[in-house]
């Protein structure tokens, strides 16, 4: 079965009891058991719920994985992966990552004795150089947030396999429609399903996909033990979003490429970061591991914070908001929003400048988006 068909059918067979085409919302906490120790596969909804199971099957199939797990948020899914590790273990993390992942590592897991090294997201070699005896996990995002750098997943998978280290990829920015890290050799994929998978800015959720049985059983144990599970309504909303993922991603990408080109030519724009542009230093690498370049753009406006503030205040269609991946276009200022958990110095080190603006390009008419940006820049 091809991707677009799977997005609509896997895990979502008509209900065997009623024929309901949409997966029912099983709003129940518990399940009657036939006898002690005998049940129909569900005992208690923290442990398992049929609506959640449908979502878990859908996500695992889209990522070409054997197993899928759904969580209450992307951060909860991320926490689950780090929780596979023990005190004294070492993680190598890409330096350009979601602020909340950095916050978890620095302010939660370091306290519990996890060691963390940040490697240069553009240099595969810098991950290899950071490997120590106790390295257990490499964690990356690609394209990265907010600078849209591309990391060579195949090369990193090669290094991690040679050293018996798990490679986890946060695939939120690309979505499985545009990139399937497990097929490139990664071990674990993590999603904030809040973003492209759900796609309508109306739900918070997370998911993990893997074909590594040992990792899966550890994660599944954690999911039940720690309990950060999504409710059935949230699972249902994410499942509904997934059905239109392919058509949405196509439109996000078309609009984003158009907008990136408009910005690149604009005299008030210093630099545009978008992997679909020929000028992107890793455009060729992106083509080898992605089926498209996605809907996220960041750019540096001429000037500093004052210019950013003025620009943002003049936008009408692009809404000033955190998050991404919804049908509506959003604008965000990473230094004070998504990446505020980094100190000014840490941001400088990572190349997140004070004039950096991030766009999540929606699926509105592209001419309207262009006009909005141009008039705000003017
Ligand atoms: C939003 C986001 C997360 C966190 O997900 P939540 O659903 O907000 O908890 C993690 N990684 C990336 C790349 C994100 O954009």
């Amino acid at each position: 079965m091809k991707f677009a068909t799977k997005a609509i059918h896997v895990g979502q067979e008509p209900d065997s009891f009623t024929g309901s085409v949409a997966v029912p919302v099983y709003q129940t906490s518990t399940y009657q058991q036939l006898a002690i120790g005998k049940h129909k596969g569900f005992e208690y909804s923290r442990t398992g719920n049929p609506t959640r199971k449908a979502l878990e099957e859908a996500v695992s199939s889209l990522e070409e994985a054997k197993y899928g797990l759904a969580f209450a948020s992307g951060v909860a899914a991320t926490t689950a992966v780090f929780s596979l590790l023990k005190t004294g273990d070492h993680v190598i993390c890409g330096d350009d990552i979601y602020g909340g992942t950095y916050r978890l590592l620095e302010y939660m897991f370091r306290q519990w004795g996890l060691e963390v090294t940040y490697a240069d997201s553009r240099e595969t070699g810098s991950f290899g150089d950071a490997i120590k005896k106790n390295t257990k996990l490499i964690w990356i995002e690609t394209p990265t947030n907010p600078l849209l750098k591309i990391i060579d997943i195949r090369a990193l998978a090669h290094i991690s396999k040679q050293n018996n280290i798990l490679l986890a990829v946060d695939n939120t920015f690309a979505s499985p429609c545009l990139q399937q890290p497990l097929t490139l050799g990664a071990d674990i994929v993590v999603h904030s399903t809040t973003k492209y998978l759900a796609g309508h800015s109306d739900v918070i959720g997370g998911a993990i996909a893997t074909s590594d049985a040992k990792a899966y059983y550890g994660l599944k144990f954690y999911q039940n033990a720690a309990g950060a599970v999504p409710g059935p309504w949230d699972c249902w909303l994410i499942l509904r979003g997934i059905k239109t993922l392919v058509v949405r991603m196509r439109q996000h990408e078309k609009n984003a490429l158009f907008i990136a080109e408009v910005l690149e030519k604009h005299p008030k724009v210093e630099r545009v970061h978008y992997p679909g542009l020929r000028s992107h230093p890793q455009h060729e690498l992106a083509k080898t591991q992605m089926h498209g370049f996605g809907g996220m753009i960041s750019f540096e406006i001429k000037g500093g914070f004052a210019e950013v503030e003025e620009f943002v205040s003049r936008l009408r269609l692009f809404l000033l908001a955190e998050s991404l991946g919804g049908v509506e276009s959003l604008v965000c200022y990473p230094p004070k929003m998504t990446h505020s958990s980094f100190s000014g110095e840490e941001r400088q080190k990572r190349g997140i400048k004070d004039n950096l603006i991030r766009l999540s390009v929606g699926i509105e008419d592209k001419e309207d988006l262009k006009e909005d940006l141009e008039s705000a820049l003017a």
Side-chain angles (χ1 to χ4, degrees), residues 72-76 78 98 101 141 145 170 172-173 191-195 204-206 323-324 358:
S73 67
V75 161
T78 305
Y98 177 65
T101 303
E141 281 173 31
N145 183 9
D170 179 338
T172 301
F173 265 38
H191 279 285
S192 166
T193 52
T194 311
K195 316 294 170 54
I204 298 283
S323 201
L324 60 111
R358 192 185 81 178

mmCIF file with all atom_site columns, all heavy atoms in Angstrom, residues 72-76 78 98 101 141 145 170 172-173 191-195 204-206 323-324 358, ligand 1:
data_model
loop_
_atom_site.group_PDB
_atom_site.id
_atom_site.type_symbol
_atom_site.label_atom_id
_atom_site.label_alt_id
_atom_site.label_comp_id
_atom_site.label_asym_id
_atom_site.label_entity_id
_atom_site.label_seq_id
_atom_site.pdbx_PDB_ins_code
_atom_site.Cartn_x
_atom_site.Cartn_y
_atom_site.Cartn_z
_atom_site.occupancy
_atom_site.B_iso_or_equiv
_atom_site.pdbx_formal_charge
_atom_site.auth_seq_id
_atom_site.auth_comp_id
_atom_site.auth_asym_id
_atom_site.auth_atom_id
_atom_site.pdbx_PDB_model_num
ATOM   1   N N   . ALA A 1 72  ? 0.818  12.207 25.259 1.00 0.00 ? 72  ALA A N   1
ATOM   2   C CA  . ALA A 1 72  ? -0.022 13.383 25.473 1.00 0.00 ? 72  ALA A CA  1
ATOM   3   C C   . ALA A 1 72  ? 0.536  14.633 24.806 1.00 0.00 ? 72  ALA A C   1
ATOM   4   O O   . ALA A 1 72  ? -0.191 15.612 24.595 1.00 0.00 ? 72  ALA A O   1
ATOM   5   C CB  . ALA A 1 72  ? -0.191 13.626 26.975 1.00 0.00 ? 72  ALA A CB  1
ATOM   6   N N   . SER A 1 73  ? 1.825  14.630 24.468 1.00 0.00 ? 73  SER A N   1
ATOM   7   C CA  . SER A 1 73  ? 2.430  15.779 23.773 1.00 0.00 ? 73  SER A CA  1
ATOM   8   C C   . SER A 1 73  ? 3.734  15.318 23.140 1.00 0.00 ? 73  SER A C   1
ATOM   9   O O   . SER A 1 73  ? 4.236  14.232 23.459 1.00 0.00 ? 73  SER A O   1
ATOM   10  C CB  . SER A 1 73  ? 2.713  16.921 24.762 1.00 0.00 ? 73  SER A CB  1
ATOM   11  O OG  . SER A 1 73  ? 3.728  16.544 25.665 1.00 0.00 ? 73  SER A OG  1
ATOM   12  N N   . GLY A 1 74  ? 4.272  16.151 22.295 1.00 0.00 ? 74  GLY A N   1
ATOM   13  C CA  . GLY A 1 74  ? 5.577  15.846 21.709 1.00 0.00 ? 74  GLY A CA  1
ATOM   14  C C   . GLY A 1 74  ? 6.649  15.774 22.791 1.00 0.00 ? 74  GLY A C   1
ATOM   15  O O   . GLY A 1 74  ? 7.533  14.913 22.762 1.00 0.00 ? 74  GLY A O   1
ATOM   16  N N   . VAL A 1 75  ? 6.549  16.671 23.751 1.00 0.00 ? 75  VAL A N   1
ATOM   17  C CA  . VAL A 1 75  ? 7.523  16.682 24.841 1.00 0.00 ? 75  VAL A CA  1
ATOM   18  C C   . VAL A 1 75  ? 7.419  15.402 25.683 1.00 0.00 ? 75  VAL A C   1
ATOM   19  O O   . VAL A 1 75  ? 8.430  14.860 26.129 1.00 0.00 ? 75  VAL A O   1
ATOM   20  C CB  . VAL A 1 75  ? 7.321  17.966 25.701 1.00 0.00 ? 75  VAL A CB  1
ATOM   21  C CG1 . VAL A 1 75  ? 7.953  17.816 27.063 1.00 0.00 ? 75  VAL A CG1 1
ATOM   22  C CG2 . VAL A 1 75  ? 7.906  19.176 24.972 1.00 0.00 ? 75  VAL A CG2 1
ATOM   23  N N   . ALA A 1 76  ? 6.198  14.899 25.875 1.00 0.00 ? 76  ALA A N   1
ATOM   24  C CA  . ALA A 1 76  ? 6.026  13.641 26.621 1.00 0.00 ? 76  ALA A CA  1
ATOM   25  C C   . ALA A 1 76  ? 6.676  12.487 25.855 1.00 0.00 ? 76  ALA A C   1
ATOM   26  O O   . ALA A 1 76  ? 7.297  11.600 26.448 1.00 0.00 ? 76  ALA A O   1
ATOM   27  C CB  . ALA A 1 76  ? 4.544  13.357 26.863 1.00 0.00 ? 76  ALA A CB  1
ATOM   28  N N   . THR A 1 78  ? 9.229  12.792 23.768 1.00 0.00 ? 78  THR A N   1
ATOM   29  C CA  . THR A 1 78  ? 10.667 13.027 23.903 1.00 0.00 ? 78  THR A CA  1
ATOM   30  C C   . THR A 1 78  ? 11.163 12.527 25.262 1.00 0.00 ? 78  THR A C   1
ATOM   31  O O   . THR A 1 78  ? 12.190 11.845 25.365 1.00 0.00 ? 78  THR A O   1
ATOM   32  C CB  . THR A 1 78  ? 10.966 14.539 23.757 1.00 0.00 ? 78  THR A CB  1
ATOM   33  O OG1 . THR A 1 78  ? 10.422 14.978 22.513 1.00 0.00 ? 78  THR A OG1 1
ATOM   34  C CG2 . THR A 1 78  ? 12.444 14.822 23.787 1.00 0.00 ? 78  THR A CG2 1
ATOM   35  N N   . TYR A 1 98  ? 14.600 21.913 19.062 1.00 0.00 ? 98  TYR A N   1
ATOM   36  C CA  . TYR A 1 98  ? 13.445 22.514 19.708 1.00 0.00 ? 98  TYR A CA  1
ATOM   37  C C   . TYR A 1 98  ? 13.830 22.959 21.127 1.00 0.00 ? 98  TYR A C   1
ATOM   38  O O   . TYR A 1 98  ? 14.462 22.200 21.863 1.00 0.00 ? 98  TYR A O   1
ATOM   39  C CB  . TYR A 1 98  ? 12.325 21.466 19.745 1.00 0.00 ? 98  TYR A CB  1
ATOM   40  C CG  . TYR A 1 98  ? 11.087 21.926 20.451 1.00 0.00 ? 98  TYR A CG  1
ATOM   41  C CD1 . TYR A 1 98  ? 10.331 22.975 19.951 1.00 0.00 ? 98  TYR A CD1 1
ATOM   42  C CD2 . TYR A 1 98  ? 10.666 21.308 21.623 1.00 0.00 ? 98  TYR A CD2 1
ATOM   43  C CE1 . TYR A 1 98  ? 9.197  23.401 20.602 1.00 0.00 ? 98  TYR A CE1 1
ATOM   44  C CE2 . TYR A 1 98  ? 9.526  21.729 22.282 1.00 0.00 ? 98  TYR A CE2 1
ATOM   45  C CZ  . TYR A 1 98  ? 8.797  22.779 21.776 1.00 0.00 ? 98  TYR A CZ  1
ATOM   46  O OH  . TYR A 1 98  ? 7.674  23.203 22.415 1.00 0.00 ? 98  TYR A OH  1
ATOM   47  N N   . THR A 1 101 ? 13.180 20.628 24.013 1.00 0.00 ? 101 THR A N   1
ATOM   48  C CA  . THR A 1 101 ? 14.046 19.452 24.130 1.00 0.00 ? 101 THR A CA  1
ATOM   49  C C   . THR A 1 101 ? 15.313 19.844 24.892 1.00 0.00 ? 101 THR A C   1
ATOM   50  O O   . THR A 1 101 ? 15.770 19.122 25.785 1.00 0.00 ? 101 THR A O   1
ATOM   51  C CB  . THR A 1 101 ? 14.396 18.907 22.726 1.00 0.00 ? 101 THR A CB  1
ATOM   52  O OG1 . THR A 1 101 ? 13.177 18.611 22.053 1.00 0.00 ? 101 THR A OG1 1
ATOM   53  C CG2 . THR A 1 101 ? 15.258 17.669 22.802 1.00 0.00 ? 101 THR A CG2 1
ATOM   54  N N   . GLU A 1 141 ? 17.233 16.608 15.143 1.00 0.00 ? 141 GLU A N   1
ATOM   55  C CA  . GLU A 1 141 ? 16.096 17.043 14.343 1.00 0.00 ? 141 GLU A CA  1
ATOM   56  C C   . GLU A 1 141 ? 16.657 17.361 12.974 1.00 0.00 ? 141 GLU A C   1
ATOM   57  O O   . GLU A 1 141 ? 17.744 17.907 12.875 1.00 0.00 ? 141 GLU A O   1
ATOM   58  C CB  . GLU A 1 141 ? 15.538 18.366 14.886 1.00 0.00 ? 141 GLU A CB  1
ATOM   59  C CG  . GLU A 1 141 ? 14.683 18.245 16.081 1.00 0.00 ? 141 GLU A CG  1
ATOM   60  C CD  . GLU A 1 141 ? 14.328 19.626 16.648 1.00 0.00 ? 141 GLU A CD  1
ATOM   61  O OE1 . GLU A 1 141 ? 14.220 20.610 15.884 1.00 0.00 ? 141 GLU A OE1 1
ATOM   62  O OE2 . GLU A 1 141 ? 14.181 19.704 17.864 1.00 0.00 ? 141 GLU A OE2 1
ATOM   63  N N   . ASN A 1 145 ? 15.393 23.170 13.858 1.00 0.00 ? 145 ASN A N   1
ATOM   64  C CA  . ASN A 1 145 ? 14.551 24.249 14.325 1.00 0.00 ? 145 ASN A CA  1
ATOM   65  C C   . ASN A 1 145 ? 15.428 25.224 15.104 1.00 0.00 ? 145 ASN A C   1
ATOM   66  O O   . ASN A 1 145 ? 16.022 24.798 16.086 1.00 0.00 ? 145 ASN A O   1
ATOM   67  C CB  . ASN A 1 145 ? 13.478 23.626 15.237 1.00 0.00 ? 145 ASN A CB  1
ATOM   68  C CG  . ASN A 1 145 ? 12.478 24.619 15.745 1.00 0.00 ? 145 ASN A CG  1
ATOM   69  O OD1 . ASN A 1 145 ? 12.439 25.752 15.335 1.00 0.00 ? 145 ASN A OD1 1
ATOM   70  N ND2 . ASN A 1 145 ? 11.664 24.163 16.677 1.00 0.00 ? 145 ASN A ND2 1
ATOM   71  N N   . ASP A 1 170 ? 13.793 13.473 15.657 1.00 0.00 ? 170 ASP A N   1
ATOM   72  C CA  . ASP A 1 170 ? 12.541 14.213 15.806 1.00 0.00 ? 170 ASP A CA  1
ATOM   73  C C   . ASP A 1 170 ? 12.135 14.642 14.394 1.00 0.00 ? 170 ASP A C   1
ATOM   74  O O   . ASP A 1 170 ? 12.759 15.516 13.795 1.00 0.00 ? 170 ASP A O   1
ATOM   75  C CB  . ASP A 1 170 ? 12.780 15.420 16.729 1.00 0.00 ? 170 ASP A CB  1
ATOM   76  C CG  . ASP A 1 170 ? 11.534 16.273 16.941 1.00 0.00 ? 170 ASP A CG  1
ATOM   77  O OD1 . ASP A 1 170 ? 10.622 16.216 16.093 1.00 0.00 ? 170 ASP A OD1 1
ATOM   78  O OD2 . ASP A 1 170 ? 11.483 17.008 17.936 1.00 0.00 ? 170 ASP A OD2 1
ATOM   79  N N   . THR A 1 172 ? 9.324  15.975 13.319 1.00 0.00 ? 172 THR A N   1
ATOM   80  C CA  . THR A 1 172 ? 8.165  16.867 13.336 1.00 0.00 ? 172 THR A CA  1
ATOM   81  C C   . THR A 1 172 ? 8.120  17.826 12.142 1.00 0.00 ? 172 THR A C   1
ATOM   82  O O   . THR A 1 172 ? 7.068  18.038 11.549 1.00 0.00 ? 172 THR A O   1
ATOM   83  C CB  . THR A 1 172 ? 8.166  17.690 14.651 1.00 0.00 ? 172 THR A CB  1
ATOM   84  O OG1 . THR A 1 172 ? 8.122  16.783 15.753 1.00 0.00 ? 172 THR A OG1 1
ATOM   85  C CG2 . THR A 1 172 ? 6.996  18.644 14.722 1.00 0.00 ? 172 THR A CG2 1
ATOM   86  N N   . PHE A 1 173 ? 9.275  18.418 11.791 1.00 0.00 ? 173 PHE A N   1
ATOM   87  C CA  . PHE A 1 173 ? 9.285  19.443 10.741 1.00 0.00 ? 173 PHE A CA  1
ATOM   88  C C   . PHE A 1 173 ? 8.977  18.869 9.366  1.00 0.00 ? 173 PHE A C   1
ATOM   89  O O   . PHE A 1 173 ? 8.352  19.540 8.544  1.00 0.00 ? 173 PHE A O   1
ATOM   90  C CB  . PHE A 1 173 ? 10.658 20.147 10.706 1.00 0.00 ? 173 PHE A CB  1
ATOM   91  C CG  . PHE A 1 173 ? 10.690 21.414 11.507 1.00 0.00 ? 173 PHE A CG  1
ATOM   92  C CD1 . PHE A 1 173 ? 10.023 21.510 12.714 1.00 0.00 ? 173 PHE A CD1 1
ATOM   93  C CD2 . PHE A 1 173 ? 11.400 22.520 11.054 1.00 0.00 ? 173 PHE A CD2 1
ATOM   94  C CE1 . PHE A 1 173 ? 10.049 22.673 13.461 1.00 0.00 ? 173 PHE A CE1 1
ATOM   95  C CE2 . PHE A 1 173 ? 11.438 23.707 11.798 1.00 0.00 ? 173 PHE A CE2 1
ATOM   96  C CZ  . PHE A 1 173 ? 10.763 23.781 12.994 1.00 0.00 ? 173 PHE A CZ  1
ATOM   97  N N   . HIS A 1 191 ? 7.569  12.373 17.097 1.00 0.00 ? 191 HIS A N   1
ATOM   98  C CA  . HIS A 1 191 ? 6.768  13.451 16.519 1.00 0.00 ? 191 HIS A CA  1
ATOM   99  C C   . HIS A 1 191 ? 6.066  14.266 17.585 1.00 0.00 ? 191 HIS A C   1
ATOM   100 O O   . HIS A 1 191 ? 5.564  13.709 18.554 1.00 0.00 ? 191 HIS A O   1
ATOM   101 C CB  . HIS A 1 191 ? 5.649  12.892 15.627 1.00 0.00 ? 191 HIS A CB  1
ATOM   102 C CG  . HIS A 1 191 ? 6.116  12.528 14.267 1.00 0.00 ? 191 HIS A CG  1
ATOM   103 N ND1 . HIS A 1 191 ? 6.391  13.463 13.318 1.00 0.00 ? 191 HIS A ND1 1
ATOM   104 C CD2 . HIS A 1 191 ? 6.398  11.318 13.723 1.00 0.00 ? 191 HIS A CD2 1
ATOM   105 C CE1 . HIS A 1 191 ? 6.810  12.849 12.219 1.00 0.00 ? 191 HIS A CE1 1
ATOM   106 N NE2 . HIS A 1 191 ? 6.832  11.545 12.437 1.00 0.00 ? 191 HIS A NE2 1
ATOM   107 N N   . SER A 1 192 ? 6.007  15.559 17.344 1.00 0.00 ? 192 SER A N   1
ATOM   108 C CA  . SER A 1 192 ? 4.971  16.339 17.978 1.00 0.00 ? 192 SER A CA  1
ATOM   109 C C   . SER A 1 192 ? 3.818  16.251 16.980 1.00 0.00 ? 192 SER A C   1
ATOM   110 O O   . SER A 1 192 ? 3.845  16.898 15.932 1.00 0.00 ? 192 SER A O   1
ATOM   111 C CB  . SER A 1 192 ? 5.423  17.791 18.173 1.00 0.00 ? 192 SER A CB  1
ATOM   112 O OG  . SER A 1 192 ? 4.289  18.567 18.493 1.00 0.00 ? 192 SER A OG  1
ATOM   113 N N   . THR A 1 193 ? 2.814  15.432 17.285 1.00 0.00 ? 193 THR A N   1
ATOM   114 C CA  . THR A 1 193 ? 1.678  15.283 16.358 1.00 0.00 ? 193 THR A CA  1
ATOM   115 C C   . THR A 1 193 ? 0.806  16.538 16.357 1.00 0.00 ? 193 THR A C   1
ATOM   116 O O   . THR A 1 193 ? -0.078 16.687 15.520 1.00 0.00 ? 193 THR A O   1
ATOM   117 C CB  . THR A 1 193 ? 0.823  14.055 16.722 1.00 0.00 ? 193 THR A CB  1
ATOM   118 O OG1 . THR A 1 193 ? 0.477  14.135 18.113 1.00 0.00 ? 193 THR A OG1 1
ATOM   119 C CG2 . THR A 1 193 ? 1.561  12.755 16.481 1.00 0.00 ? 193 THR A CG2 1
ATOM   120 N N   . THR A 1 194 ? 1.083  17.413 17.322 1.00 0.00 ? 194 THR A N   1
ATOM   121 C CA  . THR A 1 194 ? 0.449  18.736 17.383 1.00 0.00 ? 194 THR A CA  1
ATOM   122 C C   . THR A 1 194 ? 0.594  19.478 16.051 1.00 0.00 ? 194 THR A C   1
ATOM   123 O O   . THR A 1 194 ? -0.248 20.299 15.697 1.00 0.00 ? 194 THR A O   1
ATOM   124 C CB  . THR A 1 194 ? 1.178  19.584 18.461 1.00 0.00 ? 194 THR A CB  1
ATOM   125 O OG1 . THR A 1 194 ? 1.294  18.827 19.655 1.00 0.00 ? 194 THR A OG1 1
ATOM   126 C CG2 . THR A 1 194 ? 0.481  20.895 18.716 1.00 0.00 ? 194 THR A CG2 1
ATOM   127 N N   . LYS A 1 195 ? 1.679  19.205 15.344 1.00 0.00 ? 195 LYS A N   1
ATOM   128 C CA  . LYS A 1 195 ? 2.075  20.014 14.195 1.00 0.00 ? 195 LYS A CA  1
ATOM   129 C C   . LYS A 1 195 ? 1.459  19.451 12.907 1.00 0.00 ? 195 LYS A C   1
ATOM   130 O O   . LYS A 1 195 ? 0.263  19.411 12.778 1.00 0.00 ? 195 LYS A O   1
ATOM   131 C CB  . LYS A 1 195 ? 3.594  20.115 14.146 1.00 0.00 ? 195 LYS A CB  1
ATOM   132 C CG  . LYS A 1 195 ? 4.239  20.388 15.523 1.00 0.00 ? 195 LYS A CG  1
ATOM   133 C CD  . LYS A 1 195 ? 3.900  21.757 16.098 1.00 0.00 ? 195 LYS A CD  1
ATOM   134 C CE  . LYS A 1 195 ? 4.320  21.942 17.548 1.00 0.00 ? 195 LYS A CE  1
ATOM   135 N NZ  . LYS A 1 195 ? 5.695  21.675 17.875 1.00 0.00 ? 195 LYS A NZ  1
ATOM   136 N N   . ILE A 1 204 ? -2.970 18.967 21.109 1.00 0.00 ? 204 ILE A N   1
ATOM   137 C CA  . ILE A 1 204 ? -1.579 18.712 21.499 1.00 0.00 ? 204 ILE A CA  1
ATOM   138 C C   . ILE A 1 204 ? -1.380 17.201 21.557 1.00 0.00 ? 204 ILE A C   1
ATOM   139 O O   . ILE A 1 204 ? -2.213 16.490 22.129 1.00 0.00 ? 204 ILE A O   1
ATOM   140 C CB  . ILE A 1 204 ? -1.294 19.304 22.907 1.00 0.00 ? 204 ILE A CB  1
ATOM   141 C CG1 . ILE A 1 204 ? -1.474 20.822 22.929 1.00 0.00 ? 204 ILE A CG1 1
ATOM   142 C CG2 . ILE A 1 204 ? 0.089  18.894 23.410 1.00 0.00 ? 204 ILE A CG2 1
ATOM   143 C CD1 . ILE A 1 204 ? -0.372 21.623 22.320 1.00 0.00 ? 204 ILE A CD1 1
ATOM   144 N N   . GLY A 1 205 ? -0.306 16.718 20.949 1.00 0.00 ? 205 GLY A N   1
ATOM   145 C CA  . GLY A 1 205 ? -0.053 15.278 20.998 1.00 0.00 ? 205 GLY A CA  1
ATOM   146 C C   . GLY A 1 205 ? 1.356  14.937 20.570 1.00 0.00 ? 205 GLY A C   1
ATOM   147 O O   . GLY A 1 205 ? 2.073  15.757 19.989 1.00 0.00 ? 205 GLY A O   1
ATOM   148 N N   . GLY A 1 206 ? 1.749  13.705 20.875 1.00 0.00 ? 206 GLY A N   1
ATOM   149 C CA  . GLY A 1 206 ? 3.077  13.232 20.483 1.00 0.00 ? 206 GLY A CA  1
ATOM   150 C C   . GLY A 1 206 ? 3.030  11.776 20.095 1.00 0.00 ? 206 GLY A C   1
ATOM   151 O O   . GLY A 1 206 ? 2.046  11.079 20.390 1.00 0.00 ? 206 GLY A O   1
ATOM   152 N N   . SER A 1 323 ? 4.167  27.409 17.734 1.00 0.00 ? 323 SER A N   1
ATOM   153 C CA  . SER A 1 323 ? 3.673  26.241 17.005 1.00 0.00 ? 323 SER A CA  1
ATOM   154 C C   . SER A 1 323 ? 3.835  26.402 15.488 1.00 0.00 ? 323 SER A C   1
ATOM   155 O O   . SER A 1 323 ? 4.338  27.423 14.996 1.00 0.00 ? 323 SER A O   1
ATOM   156 C CB  . SER A 1 323 ? 2.221  25.920 17.346 1.00 0.00 ? 323 SER A CB  1
ATOM   157 O OG  . SER A 1 323 ? 1.951  24.569 17.010 1.00 0.00 ? 323 SER A OG  1
ATOM   158 N N   . LEU A 1 324 ? 3.432  25.362 14.780 1.00 0.00 ? 324 LEU A N   1
ATOM   159 C CA  . LEU A 1 324 ? 3.651  25.292 13.330 1.00 0.00 ? 324 LEU A CA  1
ATOM   160 C C   . LEU A 1 324 ? 2.821  24.131 12.785 1.00 0.00 ? 324 LEU A C   1
ATOM   161 O O   . LEU A 1 324 ? 2.244  23.358 13.535 1.00 0.00 ? 324 LEU A O   1
ATOM   162 C CB  . LEU A 1 324 ? 5.148  25.012 13.051 1.00 0.00 ? 324 LEU A CB  1
ATOM   163 C CG  . LEU A 1 324 ? 5.718  23.713 13.638 1.00 0.00 ? 324 LEU A CG  1
ATOM   164 C CD1 . LEU A 1 324 ? 6.050  22.706 12.554 1.00 0.00 ? 324 LEU A CD1 1
ATOM   165 C CD2 . LEU A 1 324 ? 6.964  24.004 14.442 1.00 0.00 ? 324 LEU A CD2 1
ATOM   166 N N   . ARG A 1 358 ? 10.721 33.244 12.107 1.00 0.00 ? 358 ARG A N   1
ATOM   167 C CA  . ARG A 1 358 ? 10.354 31.931 11.574 1.00 0.00 ? 358 ARG A CA  1
ATOM   168 C C   . ARG A 1 358 ? 8.920  31.964 11.064 1.00 0.00 ? 358 ARG A C   1
ATOM   169 O O   . ARG A 1 358 ? 8.037  32.517 11.715 1.00 0.00 ? 358 ARG A O   1
ATOM   170 C CB  . ARG A 1 358 ? 10.492 30.884 12.690 1.00 0.00 ? 358 ARG A CB  1
ATOM   171 C CG  . ARG A 1 358 ? 10.412 29.454 12.186 1.00 0.00 ? 358 ARG A CG  1
ATOM   172 C CD  . ARG A 1 358 ? 10.422 28.459 13.321 1.00 0.00 ? 358 ARG A CD  1
ATOM   173 N NE  . ARG A 1 358 ? 9.087  28.336 13.904 1.00 0.00 ? 358 ARG A NE  1
ATOM   174 C CZ  . ARG A 1 358 ? 8.772  27.508 14.897 1.00 0.00 ? 358 ARG A CZ  1
ATOM   175 N NH1 . ARG A 1 358 ? 9.701  26.747 15.449 1.00 0.00 ? 358 ARG A NH1 1
ATOM   176 N NH2 . ARG A 1 358 ? 7.548  27.442 15.362 1.00 0.00 ? 358 ARG A NH2 1
HETATM 177 C C1  . LIG B 2 .   ? 6.500  21.459 19.016 1.00 0.00 ? 1   LIG B C1  1
HETATM 178 C C2  . LIG B 2 .   ? 7.679  20.608 18.917 1.00 0.00 ? 1   LIG B C2  1
HETATM 179 C C3  . LIG B 2 .   ? 7.987  19.685 19.933 1.00 0.00 ? 1   LIG B C3  1
HETATM 180 C C4  . LIG B 2 .   ? 7.185  19.568 21.205 1.00 0.00 ? 1   LIG B C4  1
HETATM 181 O O1  . LIG B 2 .   ? 5.908  19.105 20.975 1.00 0.00 ? 1   LIG B O1  1
HETATM 182 P P1  . LIG B 2 .   ? 4.619  19.467 21.885 1.00 0.00 ? 1   LIG B P1  1
HETATM 183 O O2  . LIG B 2 .   ? 3.529  18.755 21.193 1.00 0.00 ? 1   LIG B O2  1
HETATM 184 O O3  . LIG B 2 .   ? 4.497  20.954 21.881 1.00 0.00 ? 1   LIG B O3  1
HETATM 185 O O4  . LIG B 2 .   ? 4.909  18.947 23.258 1.00 0.00 ? 1   LIG B O4  1
HETATM 186 C C5  . LIG B 2 .   ? 9.104  18.885 19.743 1.00 0.00 ? 1   LIG B C5  1
HETATM 187 N N1  . LIG B 2 .   ? 9.868  18.976 18.628 1.00 0.00 ? 1   LIG B N1  1
HETATM 188 C C6  . LIG B 2 .   ? 9.591  19.857 17.658 1.00 0.00 ? 1   LIG B C6  1
HETATM 189 C C7  . LIG B 2 .   ? 10.467 19.914 16.455 1.00 0.00 ? 1   LIG B C7  1
HETATM 190 C C8  . LIG B 2 .   ? 8.493  20.701 17.771 1.00 0.00 ? 1   LIG B C8  1
HETATM 191 O O5  . LIG B 2 .   ? 8.251  21.590 16.803 1.00 0.00 ? 1   LIG B O5  1
#
